[in-house]
C-alpha cells in the first residue's frame, strides 16, 4: 500500500496492457534471489519422504516472495505427480472465495466434479478429494487474520502421513508458525544489495540502452532515486519502469524530491500512530 502511494504520488502510473492467459503462472527473474530459490528447492527435495511437508518464505512487502514462489511453482523437476494448486490469500480474504477457487482447480486437475456449491457440500468434497490425491499447495500472501484457521477452512489434510507439500509466503514468521511450518523450514528474504538494486533498477529504467545509464542523466541523482526503493525488487521494478524514457536530469530531481517528501510524511504518520498507541496503554 505504501509503495503504491509513493509511486502514484511521484509519477503518473501507466497501466499495463492486458495479456493473454497462460498455462502456467508467469515466471519472472528475481535479481539477487537465486540463492534463496536454490535453498527453497533443496528444502522441498529433502522433505519429500512420504510425509506432509511444510515450508515458507518470509519477507517485507515487495521483497519478491510471490515471484520466487511462482518460479518454484513452474519448476518441472521439483514435483512428481503432485496436483499443483495455487491460492492467493491476501489480507482481505474470503474463505468461501478461496474454497471456490480450490474447487475449480481440483475439478480440472483431479478430473473430479462437484454438483453443489453450498458450503457444507464444498467442504465435504474438498476433504474427500484432497485426502485422495497427492498435492503441492502454494499459499501466497498469508496474514495473521487467517493463519490460525486457514488450512482447516480449506479442508486441507494435515495428517503427517499425507504425502503432500504446503508452501506459504508471509511478512511474518508467526503466521508461518501458525500454519505449522517448523523454524528450520522458514527462509528469510533479504533486501537486495546496492549493486543488485542498481542492476535491477537500470534494466527497467534504461531499457533502450541495455540497462546502461545514458550520458545525459546525472548518475548521482539516478542512484539516489534507486536507493529510495529500499532494496525491494517490486519497488525497483515499478519505479524503474516509470522512469524509462525520462531523459532530463531536472525531471529526475523532481521525482527524487517527491519520493523523499512522501516517505518523510509516511514516517511521520507511523511515528504518530505509535505515540497514540502508547498513550492508550
Amino acid at each position: 500500500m505504501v509503495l503504491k502511494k509513493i509511486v502514484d504520488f511521484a509519477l503518473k502510473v501507466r497501466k499495463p496492457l492486458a495479456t493473454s492467459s497462460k498455462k502456467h503462472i508467469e515466471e519472472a527473474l528475481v535479481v539477487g534471489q537465486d540463492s534463496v530459490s536454490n535453498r527453497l528447492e533443496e528444502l522441498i527435495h529433502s522433505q519429500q519422504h512420504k510425509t506432509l511437508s511444510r515450508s515458507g518464505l518470509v519477507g517485507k512487502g515487495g521483497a519478491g516472495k510471490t515471484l520466487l514462489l511462482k518460479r518454484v511453482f513452474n519448476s518441472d523437476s521439483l514435483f512428481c505427480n503432485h496436483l499443483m494448486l495455487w491460492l492467493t490469500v491476501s489480507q482481505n480474504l474470503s474463505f468461501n472465495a478461496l474454497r471456490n477457487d480450490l474447487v475449480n482447480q481440483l475439478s480440472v486437475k483431479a478430473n473430479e466434479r462437484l454438483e453443489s456449491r453450498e458450503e457444507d457440500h464444498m467442504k465435504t468434497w474438498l476433504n474427500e478429494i484432497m485426502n485422495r490425491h497427492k498435492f503441492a499447495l502454494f499459499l501466497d500472501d498469508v496474514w495473521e487474520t487467517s493463519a490460525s484457521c486457514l488450512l482447516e477452512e480449506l479442508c486441507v489434510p494435515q495428517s503427517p502421513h499425507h504425502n503432500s507439500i504446503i508452501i506459504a509466503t508471509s511478512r511474518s514468521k508467526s503466521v508461518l508458525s501458525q500454519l505449522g511450518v517448523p523454524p528450520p523450514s522458514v527462509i528469510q528474504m533479504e533486501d537486495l544489495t546496492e549493486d543488485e538494486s542498481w542492476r535491477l533498477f537500470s534494466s527497467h529504467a534504461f531499457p533502450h540502452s541495455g540497462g546502461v545509464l545514458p550520458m545525459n542523466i546525472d548518475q548521482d541523482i539516478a542512484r539516489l532515486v534507486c536507493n529510495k526503493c529500499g532494496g525491494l525488487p517490486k519497488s525497483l521494478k515499478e519505479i524503474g519502469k516509470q522512469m524509462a524514457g525520462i531523459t532530463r536530469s531536472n525531471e529526475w530531481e523532481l521525482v527524487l524530491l517527491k519520493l523523499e517528501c512522501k516517505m518523510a510524511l509516511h514516517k511521520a504518520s507511523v511515528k504518530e500512530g505509535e505515540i497514540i498507541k502508547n498513550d492508550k496503554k
Side-chain angles (χ1 to χ4, degrees):
M1 182 61 70
V2 174
L3 170 63
K4 186 179 187 303
K5 288 181 179 178
I6 291 174
V7 176
D8 288 351
F9 182 86
L11 306 157
K12 181 180 180 181
V13 177
R14 297 189 297 267
K15 293 183 178 180
L17 295 175
T19 56
S20 58
S21 60
K22 297 182 179 180
K23 181 178 179 180
H24 295 293
I25 295 176
E26 184 180 358
E27 179 179 356
L29 174 66
V30 184
V31 172
Q33 300 293 7
D34 283 341
S35 61
V36 179
S37 177
N38 291 337
R39 284 173 58 198
L40 181 58
E41 290 178 7
E42 289 171 3
L43 186 61
I44 293 170
H45 271 304
S46 67
Q47 291 179 336
Q48 295 189 41
H49 299 295
K50 296 184 179 180
T51 60
L52 179 65
S53 68
R54 310 179 199 220
S55 53
L57 293 171
V58 65
K60 301 175 185 175
K65 301 184 297 296
T66 300
L67 290 178
L68 204 152
L69 198 65
K70 289 177 181 178
R71 181 175 175 177
V72 173
F73 182 92
N74 286 333
S75 173
D76 293 326
S77 60
L78 277 177
F79 306 97
C80 180
N81 300 319
H82 289 81
L83 297 180
M84 303 299 290
L85 307 170
W86 178 287
L87 292 176
T88 300
V89 181
S90 76
Q91 189 172 16
N92 301 314
L93 81 165
S94 160
F95 286 126
N96 194 55
L98 288 174
R99 281 191 292 266
N100 269 290
D101 191 352
L102 195 53
V103 166
N104 291 338
Q105 293 182 54
L106 286 168
S107 296
V108 174
K109 298 181 179 183
N111 195 26
E112 305 274 4
R113 178 171 294 185
L114 173 63
E115 298 299 333
S116 171
R117 292 289 175 126
E118 292 182 6
E119 182 176 328
D120 289 342
H121 290 161
M122 268 202 295
K123 286 184 173 182
T124 300
W125 186 87
L126 283 170
N127 186 274
E128 291 177 355
I129 301 305
M130 296 192 74
N131 269 293
R132 194 186 306 162
H133 294 276
K134 183 168 69 170
F135 59 83
L137 176 61
F138 291 73
L139 299 170
D140 187 37
D141 196 24
V142 184
W143 288 70
E144 193 82 37
T145 51
S146 63
S148 62
C149 59
L150 180 61
L151 296 179
E152 182 180 351
E153 288 289 340
L154 296 177
C155 307
V156 177
Q158 298 186 61
S159 166
H161 305 295
H162 198 287
N163 186 16
S164 291
I165 300 170
I166 298 172
I167 307 173
T169 71
S170 179
R171 302 183 187 189
S172 166
K173 288 183 179 179
S174 67
V175 167
L176 296 179
S177 177
Q178 290 180 61
L179 291 174
V181 181
S185 297
V186 175
I187 298 175
Q188 177 74 46
M189 299 280 292
E190 304 294 345
D191 298 340
L192 299 186
T193 65
E194 187 173 336
D195 287 342
E196 290 168 344
S197 295
W198 178 249
R199 180 157 63 96
L200 180 58
F201 178 82
S202 298
S203 68
H204 292 283
F206 318 120
H208 302 300
S209 57
V212 178
L213 180 75
M215 294 290 292
N216 56 324
I217 297 178
D218 187 295
Q219 178 170 327
D220 291 337
I221 297 297
R223 282 192 173 270
L224 284 172
V225 172
C226 175
N227 291 342
K228 293 303 175 185
C229 299
L232 298 174
K234 183 177 180 180
S235 179
L236 290 159
K237 291 177 183 179
E238 290 189 2
I239 294 180
K241 286 178 181 178
Q242 300 305 321
M243 298 307 297
I246 299 179
T247 58
R248 296 180 181 180
S249 288
N250 63 331
E251 292 182 81
W252 280 77
E253 291 174 359
L254 179 61
V255 169
L256 177 61
L257 177 62
K258 290 180 177 180
L259 285 171
E260 289 176 338
C261 289
K262 190 66 178 179
M263 294 178 77
L265 288 172
H266 172 68
K267 288 180 181 179
S269 175
V270 171
K271 187 174 182 180
E272 181 181 357
E274 290 175 347
I275 292 173
I276 293 173
K277 184 178 179 180
N278 291 332
D279 287 344
K280 291 181 178 179
K281 290 182 178 179

